[in-house]
Amino acid sequence: MFLLVDCSNCRTPLQLPPGATSICCALCRGVTRVAQPRAAAASSVGLHQRPALPPYTVPSPYNRVPAGTLPSAHGRKRALICGVSYKNTKQELKGCINDAKCMKYLLINKFSFPESSIVMLTEEETDPYKRPTKQNMRMALYWLVKGCQPGDSLVFHFSGHGSQQKDYNGDEIDGYDETLCPMDYASQGMIVDDEINATIVKPLPAGVKLHAIIDACHSGTVLDLPFLCRMDRSGKYAWEDHRPRTGVWKGTNGGEVISFSGCDDNQTSADTSAMSKITSTGAMTYSFIQAIERGHATTYGNMLNSMRSTIRNTANDLGGGIVTSLLTMLLSGGSLSGGMRQEPQLTANVPFDVYSKTFSI
């Protein structure tokens, strides 16, 4: 039988094997040392208990505190950027690392994010902790929201494959969970929307704002947020209630979460060179950045309309870009034809007037 102990660094409950004197936390990489093995505890009655050893923490890029004083005008700023190309596989994407680099540049130069407060996971990284494996992505998601305080602004950007799998807990209206695919999804599995919601949405405290920009297929509700802004091509919209019929809470702990995604849950997203005319990019990431740089990001409604218009106007020039969906590629044998069929989506933890709420990161 395992003994339950708290990580000495992040307080995550850990299962200590019988006789073990230390355990490494898979989330923060901290090592918790136990004063004496559990097996010896019964024979130590009447003896002075040896004091616990001081906690020892293994260095990790997700435990680093950014040097210097962070900007205070809008609180602290922190971002996680993941670009997954699945290099040397049949599912390889050309534009995802470009997306990650462009998003980092945008956050630093347009929104004053300190470079030291941005974690970027790509296959180009030589640091093993900064490659977009499932374990590293999980750790980084915990890092993103850990210790956040009122006034903080957080960003999660993902560019890569998205998919769907059968929903087994009854919290999805369409019967399917949405997923993100890390670089090692084939051996380690995908990251399910339930986990993403539990990690970065539910714990978010009052006064903290999180923006997610998800450039992947089937990503409309990949954060499992309770409300989706259903907008038609004329710009008229209504909020759809996606709260689970089971009553499971999918909102925050008082914070604000707004997510832009590449397409609806039943759509695919393109990885193409037709938009920039120079290099491959994700259609959604490109349209997101373009809306900001052209001054269309005044409100969330204007932002969404601008993104959709950019993609629609480019669709006629596309011969069917590589979709960022494993499910679609597998079903189609890796070959899709036709123009771009995607409409960026907006979801949130609470409904709001998209044409009066100012876009702000």
Side-chain angles (χ1 to χ4, degrees):
M1 186 175 180
F2 289 85
L3 177 68
L4 199 63
V5 298
D6 288 338
C7 171
S8 59
N9 183 55
C10 70
R11 313 310 298 173
T12 299
L14 306 172
Q15 290 184 325
L16 184 73
T21 59
S22 64
I23 186 169
C24 179
C25 177
L27 299 180
C28 73
R29 310 300 295 176
V31 174
T32 299
R33 298 189 177 184
V34 180
Q36 57 188 159
R38 185 175 52 172
S43 61
S44 63
V45 178
L47 299 177
H48 292 291
Q49 190 172 9
R50 190 171 43 165
L53 295 173
Y56 169 71
T57 303
V58 176
S60 162
Y62 310 117
N63 288 332
R64 296 174 189 163
V65 177
T69 303
L70 296 175
S72 58
H74 299 287
R76 298 177 302 171
K77 300 194 174 190
R78 188 186 301 180
L80 167 62
I81 300 173
C82 301
V84 194
S85 65
Y86 315 93
K87 192 173 181 180
N88 299 323
T89 71
K90 291 182 179 180
Q91 289 78 36
E92 183 170 357
L93 298 170
K94 303 296 184 183
C96 296
I97 292 179
N98 289 335
D99 290 345
K101 291 178 178 178
C102 289
M103 186 60 65
K104 181 178 180 180
Y105 183 89
L106 178 78
L107 292 179
I108 293 172
N109 293 282
K110 190 74 173 180
F111 297 103
S112 302
F113 275 64
E115 185 171 5
S116 59
S117 70
I118 298 175
V119 167
M120 189 159 80
L121 305 182
T122 72
E123 284 121 314
E124 286 189 344
E125 296 286 348
T126 56
D127 184 340
Y129 285 115
K130 291 190 176 183
R131 292 173 64 78
T133 63
K134 183 176 183 178
Q135 174 69 1
N136 287 347
M137 284 181 61
R138 280 176 158 175
M139 289 171 58
L141 287 169
Y142 275 96
W143 165 85
L144 182 63
V145 299
K146 182 181 178 182
C148 58
Q149 301 172 5
D152 288 359
S153 176
L154 316 177
V155 170
F156 171 42
H157 174 248
F158 176 87
S159 180
H161 279 305
S163 191
Q164 291 179 305
Q165 67 181 38
K166 186 175 176 58
D167 168 39
Y168 290 101
N169 61 8
D171 66 349
E172 296 284 349
I173 294 176
D174 61 359
Y176 290 93
D177 282 319
E178 284 64 51
T179 63
L180 298 180
C181 302
M183 63 178 287
D184 57 352
Y185 74 92
S187 60
Q188 300 301 314
M190 300 177 285
I191 299 178
V192 183
D193 53 8
D194 294 331
E195 179 180 348
I196 298 171
N197 182 276
T199 304
I200 63 175
V201 175
K202 285 185 181 179
L204 209 68
V208 179
K209 179 184 288 187
L210 166 66
H211 283 89
I213 302 103
I214 311 297
D215 198 345
C217 283
H218 311 294
S219 55
T221 62
V222 76
L223 262 66
D224 254 3
L225 294 172
F227 299 96
L228 181 143
C229 179
R230 186 64 70 189
M231 182 180 288
D232 63 23
R233 292 197 172 191
S234 70
K236 294 180 180 178
Y237 74 94
W239 287 96
E240 287 183 357
D241 190 341
H242 282 243
R243 287 176 292 185
R245 291 174 298 227
T246 59
V248 174
W249 177 248
K250 292 289 186 176
T252 69
N253 191 30
E256 181 179 22
V257 181
I258 298 173
S259 175
F260 287 96
S261 52
C263 59
D264 209 344
D265 286 343
N266 62 353
Q267 292 179 327
T268 56
S269 294
D271 179 77
T272 178
S273 60
M275 305 197 79
S276 71
K277 308 295 184 183
I278 300 173
T279 186
S280 292
T281 62
M284 184 269 185
T285 300
Y286 182 89
S287 65
F288 179 87
I289 293 174
Q290 186 182 80
I292 293 171
E293 294 197 335
R294 291 187 174 181
H296 299 157
T298 51
T299 66
Y300 286 90
N302 291 341
M303 180 78 172
L304 186 60
N305 274 314
S306 176
M307 292 169 63
R308 289 181 166 195
S309 177
T310 297
I311 291 176
R312 279 198 302 268
N313 292 340
T314 310
N316 293 332
D317 298 330
L318 292 179
I322 299 176
V323 295
T324 55
S325 165
L326 293 176
L327 185 65
T328 306
M329 291 186 74
L330 291 172
L331 292 175
S332 62
S335 175
L336 289 179
S337 60
M340 187 181 300
R341 298 175 182 175
Q342 67 177 106
E343 290 186 319
Q345 302 294 322
L346 177 69
T347 57
N349 65 304
V350 293
F352 58 88
D353 184 343
V354 300
Y355 291 116
S356 66
K357 187 176 180 66
T358 302
F359 174 78
S360 174
I361 294 182

